[in-house]
Amino acid sequence: MSGGCGRNPPPFPDNEDQEAELDTRVLDSDEDDDDEGEDIFTIARSKPITPTSAPDEGDIFSEEGSYIRSDVHHATNGLHSDDELDLFTEATVELTLTNTTSQGRREIIGPTASACNTTHVPNSILKPSIVTKTMEELEEEESGDQFELNIAVTNPEKIGDGMNAYMSYKVSTQTTLPMFLNKTFSVRRRFSDFLGLYEKISAKHSLLGFIIPPPPQKSVVGMTKVKVGKEDSSSAEFVEKRRAALERYLQRVVAHPSLLQDPDVREFLERDELPRAVNTQALSGPGFLKMINRASDAVNKMTIKMNESDNWFESKLQEVENEEQLLRRLHAAVDSLVNHRKELCSNTAVFSKSVAMLGSVEENSALSRALSQLAEVEDKMEQLHQQQAFSDFFILAELLADYVRLLGAVRCCFEQRMKVWQRLQEAQSTLQKKREAEAKLLWANKPEKLQQAKDDINEWESKVSQYERDFERVTCTVRKEVLRFEKEKARDFKQHIVKYLESLLHTQHRLVKCWEAFLPEAKAIA
Amino acid sequence: MTSISEDSDKEKVRSVSVDLNNDASLVIDIPDALCEREVKFTVHTKTTLSSFQNPDFSVPRQHEDFIWLHDTIVETEEYAGLIIPPAPPKPDFEGPREKMHKLGEGESSMTKEEYAKMKQELEAEYLAVFKKTVQVHEVFLQRLSSHPMFRKDRNFQIFLEYDQDLTVRRKNAKEMFGGFFKNMVKTADEVLISGVKEVDEFFEQEKNFLLDYSSKIKDATAKAEKMTRSHKNVADDYNHISGALNNTAADNNTAFKKHLEKCAEVFEKLRKVEDRVASDQELKLTELLRYYTRDIQAAKDLLYRRARALADYENSNKALDKARLKGKDIAQAEENQKQCLQKFDKLSESGKKELTSFKARRVVAFRKNLIEMTELEIKHAKNSVSLLQGSIEILNSN
């Protein structure tokens, strides 16, 4: 299911070309990526996590790749307003190298229709001609988009030594979007690059009321262990956790139709060398500044009481805050499960060894054999528990952690709207003051200053109307964003829940097999 | 508190040892148990033996009564050459009791659902402990009833039949101290035993085997206990996750809510299965190991008694030599020596028989329990599979 994301960007001129592209979906075949390349982009959703080996990169990959992909589809979620169209026309003009015709533009609206998608209501005009080869290859839930954009983050490599060391990740993109220079390409990025991207996006778009996906969290402890060179399982786990989080982050960013158009995003994906993002360090000057700003924001939040004409916002914000709390609790419960399962895993391993010892001492040969078989079964169970713990974490726990942070981002969005409103209020009160000043001047009969006053009033009148428009726009955007977010959330959760249940199912299947294999051994005791 | 009788749907959890009730002349079981301050077991006997007054009767017994019976048998000289069935351990309701306490305290601060869930957990744990303790007491009695010598024991008969409180016949403080002392002496014997030179090949082998096996099985028991506890923790977590999912769903509407609710349902059902997996594993595997750890100890005790008899015999030989030298009390010393030899021979003979049948019994018990455990594991896993498959289908079709 190479379901691309539901892009409504500039159309691809030629369907046939695209089909050919889809067949050659292989990443740049560098290093040892060949197998992984195949895995990333194949439809692997029905396949449970490959059990045989400890979760290695390739496997994780196919999982991550496959399920996130459908995440990335969402198109415009039926929010077809003029704004959207405008956005895309602009984008079209700026970016593409291929010809964009008005014909092309109409097609933008088309592809969001997904004939078989039941969870997500397509409001679009269905253009039958849009049915492409991609539809057949996509899973039912994916929208039949013409455009693909698949992103994967792989190959963490440690660069450098000691405290200046860092992990470098390979960011691979495979796309049919014409706004990119190539169809498949990859670059190497480090964690601070991702943070830098977030900063840039946030600076540009958050004031417009978009929900900006939050980046993965920094972790001084985790990174220090890696830097210091501890080659143990916990630092490997940390790197894997971060890699997966970075991947999800990017996928969410490009899933957002407006953000994808941002040149910074494109640069991040494409450009070979990025200037170092120094403002992202926690203990830097800008870092402190950010902390201060955040604090003042918090204070503002407490003092502003918006005059809400629309209850929707107030109740929605309340909902969001509640949900954040509930998800936090749910996350804690899942976290506990992950830990206990890991405990179960190690206890099973220890028990297995103990049973093996017992078997070796046992004088009855049939019982002795059965006991060593039992030890082997328990050993297999240990592996199953290990993999299940992995699923518990990566499918469920990380999903919840992501959404707790995303809900925080949604809250920020609401706060931004409040800021815009505040700006409007201030402008309105300034205008009021200017008018009063003019009135005073009139009354005091000072004609020389009157012109100045009139100019001031005009200036502020236009500011007020500008801010009013801004506020309207932000209100509209926030509303749309929230609806989009909620749809995404429902779909995301459903997908992950199903995936998780499938992982449990897989484990139970294997359990049945293990025990069924043991049963004749037990019966053979004499 | 609660009276828990065996559920109709739960498998009759019979002995960890062989089916000991295959002799219809004396059939014992514990159909019921009450737990108030103390646990009261209902011991039910069906017999065709004439030595009993009734063919079918029941008496209530406490755990201490079982211990009394065990100790009187241990102290009976006659049975020195037999493996004495190990005493059942004291019922341990610490876990459920703690939970009950927490439940009572937190009742006001919990939501109705949380309370109901905790109550469920508590009941499950209670039931598990109950099953265990009933089983282990039952097996003790059944071992006695199926042994040709023990079943005829007068005290055993009293235990089964005497329809009043046994407390008066139980150890008084002095006797208890006596028992304590005996245990202390026994540990000294262990050192003695390892040192005694063994002439008999059979016993030499047995001694080595039992010593080695004993430490390994103790270890396996401890590890099994930890593993079972982890299983229970996982089941508990499923419970909490289910609750948290329901809480999150309650606050919502839309498709999101439905997905969460469905997921909560699945976790709830999975919890039940995991609980059963954990408790079945405990019953069949951990209890099996625990029981045989104790049984191995009982076998070792037999060896010690025999070794002590051997030491006594050797001492009596020395005494006889000394008496012969001195020319005094020779007859007495000879008599002593003869008795010691007799005792030693008797212990050796019955000991050999007992240890051989012990081997057979152990192998059969392991076989039975491993098979039963495996079958249960398969059953539970298949249940999980169908449960999960069904849920996935429903979620996908939505």
Side-chain angles (χ1 to χ4, degrees):
Chain A
M1 84 74 176
S2 45
C5 41
R7 299 284 77 108
N8 292 325
F12 205 76
D14 201 49
N15 277 354
E16 274 72 72
D17 277 0
Q18 192 185 2
E19 287 170 25
E21 285 316 322
L22 289 173
D23 290 335
T24 62
R25 24 197 171 118
V26 178
L27 271 188
D28 300 338
S29 53
D30 36 352
E31 301 108 40
D32 45 352
D33 270 6
D34 282 317
D35 291 344
E36 289 156 10
E38 296 288 358
D39 281 349
I40 304 167
F41 302 118
T42 45
I43 302 177
R45 205 178 86 93
S46 50
K47 199 183 358 160
I49 297 185
T50 38
T52 45
S53 50
D56 60 56
E57 221 179 15
D59 291 341
I60 299 162
F61 224 4
S62 53
E63 280 318 305
E64 288 298 82
S66 61
Y67 78 79
I68 292 297
R69 196 123 345 86
S70 43
D71 176 21
V72 145
H73 95 293
H74 44 216
T76 52
N77 279 10
L79 301 171
H80 297 286
S81 66
D82 288 337
D83 282 1
E84 293 259 309
L85 255 183
D86 287 347
L87 238 142
F88 288 128
T89 18
E90 285 165 35
T92 311
V93 164
E94 277 173 30
L95 308 170
T96 51
L97 314 165
T98 54
N99 46 341
T100 55
T101 58
S102 49
Q103 164 80 28
R105 195 169 344 142
R106 230 170 292 135
E107 285 182 354
I108 294 173
I109 317 175
T112 59
S114 100
C116 12
N117 187 342
T118 47
T119 59
H120 136 104
V121 179
N123 290 350
S124 51
I125 310 152
L126 212 109
K127 260 209 147 200
S129 63
I130 296 307
V131 170
T132 63
K133 205 44 169 185
T134 51
M135 276 281 232
E136 284 152 32
E137 284 160 17
L138 292 172
E139 297 215 311
E140 302 216 321
E141 286 173 34
E142 304 313 298
S143 80
D145 270 77
Q146 283 185 297
F147 306 109
E148 269 183 56
L149 179 68
N150 299 321
I151 298 200
V153 175
T154 56
N155 286 52
E157 256 174 41
K158 183 170 167 198
I159 313 275
D161 261 321
M163 286 316 285
N164 288 329
Y166 62 92
M167 292 304 285
S168 142
Y169 301 88
K170 179 169 165 187
V171 177
S172 319
T173 315
Q174 189 237 26
T175 178
T176 55
L177 288 170
M179 68 187 192
F180 290 98
L181 298 167
N182 298 310
K183 300 262 177 303
T184 56
F185 49 91
S186 69
V187 291
R188 292 211 77 98
R189 295 281 178 258
R190 54 185 291 185
F191 185 66
S192 54
D193 294 334
F194 289 79
L195 293 182
L197 176 65
Y198 169 73
E199 296 293 326
K200 290 191 200 140
I201 294 178
S202 185
K204 277 190 270 179
H205 296 275
S206 60
L207 277 176
L208 302 175
F210 289 111
I211 300 175
I212 316 285
Q217 289 176 313
K218 294 191 226 206
S219 162
V220 181
V221 174
M223 261 327 275
T224 314
K225 263 203 251 174
V226 171
K227 287 182 197 202
V228 162
K230 254 179 123 206
E231 289 286 330
D232 66 355
S233 61
S234 70
S235 53
E237 218 177 279
F238 170 79
V239 172
E240 172 52 32
K241 183 174 161 182
R242 176 162 279 192
R243 180 208 68 79
L246 289 173
E247 193 175 80
R248 290 194 306 272
Y249 167 64
L250 277 187
Q251 285 168 338
R252 284 206 176 92
V253 168
V254 299
H256 194 303
S258 315
L259 294 183
L260 178 60
Q261 304 300 321
D262 188 316
D264 280 325
V265 172
R266 239 183 323 130
E267 185 184 68
F268 182 88
L269 293 175
E270 266 187 331
R271 189 164 154 186
D272 276 327
E273 290 287 325
L274 270 189
R276 194 66 208 281
V278 289
N279 290 349
T280 58
Q281 282 164 333
L283 301 177
S284 62
F288 276 127
L289 202 59
K290 254 179 271 171
M291 273 180 1
I292 296 173
N293 280 337
R294 239 173 264 147
S296 69
D297 278 351
V299 172
N300 271 344
K301 200 165 67 140
M302 293 191 290
T303 52
I304 298 179
K305 181 65 184 107
M306 247 184 93
N307 192 359
E308 196 60 80
S309 54
D310 187 348
N311 266 339
W312 187 91
F313 283 89
E314 215 170 288
S315 62
K316 207 34 110 159
L317 182 58
Q318 189 60 48
E319 248 180 66
V320 166
E321 285 173 348
N322 284 346
E323 197 165 84
E324 198 178 326
Q325 285 315 311
L326 290 168
L327 283 186
R328 257 185 229 277
R329 256 179 253 153
L330 182 55
H331 178 251
V334 173
D335 221 16
S336 169
L337 173 64
V338 172
N339 288 334
H340 282 143
R341 219 189 283 273
K342 285 194 180 149
E343 240 175 61
L344 175 60
C345 181
S346 60
N347 285 343
T348 308
V350 165
F351 176 68
S352 163
K353 290 198 185 65
S354 186
V355 171
M357 292 286 284
L358 189 62
S360 68
V361 180
E362 174 61 56
E363 48 182 12
N364 178 302
S365 57
L367 180 54
S368 170
R369 196 167 47 238
L371 285 174
S372 25
Q373 289 292 74
L374 179 64
E376 271 184 45
V377 169
E378 295 290 344
D379 209 35
K380 288 202 199 105
M381 306 262 275
E382 184 224 340
Q383 284 173 17
L384 286 178
H385 292 316
Q386 168 100 300
Q387 281 161 15
Q388 189 57 56
F390 186 79
S391 300
D392 292 342
F393 181 74
F394 278 100
I395 301 181
L396 222 45
E398 288 284 76
L399 170 78
L400 293 168
D402 278 355
Y403 269 90
V404 167
R405 287 210 313 281
L406 274 168
L407 285 172
V410 174
R411 261 191 303 117
C412 279
C413 194
F414 278 77
E415 282 160 28
Q416 291 300 333
R417 177 173 169 269
M418 278 220 288
K419 277 205 204 131
V420 174
W421 180 84
Q422 198 180 16
R423 194 176 55 170
L424 171 62
Q425 291 302 102
E426 283 165 6
Q428 278 172 339
S429 81
T430 311
L431 176 63
Q432 182 64 17
K433 283 202 199 98
K434 298 290 178 189
R435 286 205 172 123
E436 284 169 5
E438 188 205 28
K440 266 201 216 125
L441 286 177
L442 275 173
W443 188 79
N445 205 3
K446 293 205 178 122
E448 338 72 62
K449 300 215 178 126
L450 212 53
Q451 187 54 42
Q452 177 65 40
K454 280 210 177 350
D455 286 342
D456 276 352
I457 291 180
N458 283 336
E459 182 196 334
W460 281 95
E461 272 178 351
S462 71
K463 273 201 184 148
V464 164
S465 64
Q466 170 69 41
Y467 292 165
E468 267 171 357
R469 280 200 303 277
D470 283 348
F471 182 67
E472 281 308 309
R473 182 182 288 214
V474 168
T475 299
C476 185
T477 306
V478 168
R479 213 190 265 267
K480 268 192 282 183
E481 283 283 279
V482 168
L483 288 175
R484 184 182 72 88
F485 173 75
E486 288 190 333
K487 283 216 179 83
E488 268 313 291
K489 187 177 64 171
R491 151 188 296 266
D492 225 357
F493 266 76
K494 174 173 163 178
Q495 254 183 4
H496 280 72
I497 288 173
V498 168
K499 196 171 178 86
Y500 180 69
L501 294 183
E502 282 174 349
S503 81
L504 284 176
L505 177 62
H506 177 74
T507 303
Q508 295 296 322
H509 264 306
R510 294 285 299 283
L511 269 176
V512 171
K513 286 212 169 53
C514 280
W515 287 114
E516 279 179 342
F518 177 69
L519 192 56
E521 287 293 333
K523 290 194 168 152
I525 302 174
Chain B
M1 242 214 61
T2 38
S3 163
I4 300 187
S5 36
E6 297 181 343
D7 300 323
S8 47
D9 68 297
K10 90 170 190 249
E11 285 90 34
K12 267 289 172 165
V13 177
R14 283 275 151 200
S15 46
V16 286
S17 192
V18 198
D19 208 353
L20 294 169
N21 269 346
N22 45 15
D23 180 357
S25 63
L26 185 60
V27 174
I28 305 182
D29 70 296
I30 300 182
D32 201 353
L34 252 157
C35 184
E36 291 147 2
R37 193 123 297 234
E38 298 285 332
V39 182
K40 278 199 173 28
F41 300 94
T42 306
V43 178
H44 169 241
T45 314
K46 274 212 314 234
T47 177
T48 57
L49 296 176
S50 52
S51 46
F52 290 93
Q53 287 174 357
N54 289 319
D56 196 329
F57 52 91
S58 295
V59 292
R61 289 286 176 254
Q62 294 182 344
H63 170 72
E64 282 70 26
D65 300 329
F66 288 75
I67 301 300
W68 164 79
L69 179 60
H70 174 260
D71 288 344
T72 57
I73 290 178
V74 164
E75 284 162 24
T76 309
E77 189 72 35
E78 242 181 278
Y79 303 139
L82 308 175
I83 297 182
I84 318 262
K90 198 166 157 62
D92 179 17
F93 285 97
E94 205 36 58
R97 216 161 262 157
E98 227 182 273
K99 261 207 169 85
M100 190 169 80
H101 197 60
K102 254 198 286 179
L103 196 69
E105 276 183 350
E107 180 168 356
S108 45
S109 60
M110 283 193 261
T111 68
K112 206 153 62 97
E113 292 82 24
E114 284 176 353
Y115 184 77
K117 273 202 188 297
M118 263 207 91
K119 199 150 159 285
Q120 263 180 350
E121 265 178 55
L122 171 63
E123 280 171 7
E125 209 172 306
Y126 221 91
L127 189 62
V129 175
F130 240 90
K131 272 201 228 181
K132 250 186 356 192
T133 194
V134 164
Q135 174 181 289
V136 98
H137 284 76
E138 204 178 57
V139 165
F140 172 68
L141 295 178
Q142 288 168 346
R143 281 281 295 277
L144 294 175
S145 71
S146 61
H147 194 287
M149 296 223 39
F150 291 132
R151 70 194 339 228
K152 294 191 255 177
D153 183 80
R154 180 80 193 114
N155 285 318
F156 184 45
Q157 192 168 352
I158 292 172
F159 178 92
L160 290 176
E161 235 184 358
Y162 189 67
D163 56 3
Q164 298 184 3
D165 206 342
L166 276 181
T167 345
V168 291
R169 309 192 82 125
R170 291 209 317 240
K171 275 193 170 83
N172 57 26
K174 187 152 157 265
E175 278 183 72
M176 276 184 82
F177 184 67
F180 194 135
F181 185 61
K182 271 209 163 100
N183 276 336
M184 280 177 57
V185 172
K186 195 160 61 158
T187 4
D189 276 348
E190 282 187 35
V191 180
L192 167 68
I193 278 20
S194 327
V196 159
K197 197 165 54 89
E198 186 57 71
V199 286
D200 191 328
E201 177 74 25
F202 174 81
F203 283 99
E204 178 68 21
Q205 264 184 344
E206 277 307 298
K207 181 180 78 179
N208 291 333
F209 168 70
L210 286 177
L211 285 174
D212 209 358
Y213 197 80
S214 158
S215 65
K216 300 269 172 0
I217 198 170
K218 224 186 279 192
D219 184 59
T221 306
K223 305 287 158 62
E225 279 172 352
K226 276 179 96 177
M227 187 173 74
T228 313
R229 211 170 318 144
S230 289
H231 261 297
K232 288 214 182 96
N233 284 339
V234 169
D236 275 347
D237 281 332
Y238 281 172
N239 199 12
H240 296 146
I241 292 178
S242 170
L245 280 168
N246 272 327
N247 284 343
T248 315
D251 222 53
N252 225 284
N253 37 26
T254 74
F256 188 52
K257 176 190 176 109
K258 273 196 304 178
H259 301 326
L260 290 182
E261 282 180 341
K262 188 73 193 131
C263 195
E265 207 184 295
V266 174
F267 268 102
E268 178 56 35
K269 296 204 182 117
L270 281 178
R271 171 193 83 83
K272 294 205 176 92
V273 177
E274 279 300 312
D275 250 340
R276 296 293 295 271
V277 167
S279 76
D280 283 340
Q281 191 182 75
E282 163 116 57
L283 228 34
K284 299 289 168 187
L285 190 58
T286 314
E287 272 301 296
L288 171 74
L289 293 170
R290 270 194 206 116
Y291 186 80
Y292 274 92
T293 308
R294 292 197 295 272
D295 221 4
I296 293 274
Q297 186 59 45
K300 270 162 73 182
D301 287 347
L302 170 58
L303 282 186
Y304 300 150
R305 290 195 291 272
R306 179 179 165 276
R308 198 159 9 125
L310 178 59
D312 284 347
Y313 172 61
E314 285 178 355
N315 285 342
S316 77
N317 270 339
K318 289 196 196 113
L320 181 59
D321 287 342
K322 233 198 307 196
R324 284 204 175 118
L325 269 176
K326 283 204 189 136
K328 257 173 46 168
D329 294 322
I330 299 180
Q332 195 184 11
E334 277 180 346
E335 183 58 35
N336 189 21
Q337 190 233 38
K338 202 166 68 160
Q339 275 185 358
C340 282
L341 182 58
Q342 262 180 353
K343 180 165 166 209
F344 175 67
D345 280 340
K346 186 172 132 195
L347 284 189
S348 294
E349 191 188 314
S350 79
K352 203 178 265 198
K353 259 195 297 196
E354 286 277 303
L355 286 170
T356 313
S357 69
F358 172 67
K359 274 188 223 293
R361 193 173 65 233
R362 187 182 77 245
V363 172
V364 173
F366 267 75
R367 176 177 191 276
K368 178 170 183 284
N369 279 278
L370 286 178
I371 292 177
E372 283 178 0
M373 179 185 77
T374 308
E375 286 173 344
L376 284 169
E377 290 267 0
I378 294 175
K379 180 176 113 157
H380 292 318
K382 283 191 172 156
N383 276 348
S384 294
V385 165
S386 61
L387 160 67
L388 287 166
Q389 269 171 342
S391 306
I392 292 176
E393 256 178 57
I394 292 181
L395 274 170
N396 273 336
S397 69
N398 263 342

